[in-house]
Amino acid sequence: MAEQLNVQLVAVEEKVWSGKAEMVMARTTEGELGVLPGHAPMLGQLAEPGQVRIKLPGGEQLTYDVAGGFLSVSQQGVTVLAENATPAAAASGN
């Protein structure tokens, strides 16, 4: 079984999502970042406006619009601390 990341997405007022993921992608002030299991520890400031994409085991992807905050990678996993985080609207012509 492939290694997985422990991921927490937390906004100022609530825990938005928590679980296992294969990959986390986010845009930081330094550029687009993809985090896989075994990534070196780091701290990045999220770009505004931005999105955090969480690839789940099985291929499903969760996308959240975020405003402000940081992304932290440690041996324990990935934590996204955002001022605001809401599920992104599905791309459609509506």
Side-chain angles (χ1 to χ4, degrees):
M1 177 177 271
E3 252 187 283
Q4 295 180 358
L5 296 163
N6 291 312
V7 180
Q8 291 191 36
L9 175 58
V10 181
V12 171
E13 297 182 6
E14 66 179 331
K15 181 183 283 189
V16 177
W17 188 85
S18 178
K20 299 280 188 183
E22 292 181 353
M23 183 177 188
V24 176
M25 294 149 288
R27 191 166 62 95
T28 69
T29 55
E30 300 295 317
E32 189 76 17
L33 175 70
V35 179
L36 293 167
H39 195 286
M42 62 154 292
L43 180 64
Q45 182 177 355
L46 296 173
E48 292 190 63
Q51 283 191 332
V52 172
R53 297 179 310 283
I54 303 167
K55 183 178 177 191
L56 302 177
E60 184 183 353
Q61 181 171 287
L62 304 176
T63 304
Y64 291 90
D65 292 322
V66 296
F70 296 89
L71 177 136
S72 170
V73 180
S74 70
Q75 289 180 339
Q76 289 73 41
V78 178
T79 302
V80 178
L81 303 169
E83 291 178 27
N84 295 303
T86 55
S92 67
N94 295 347

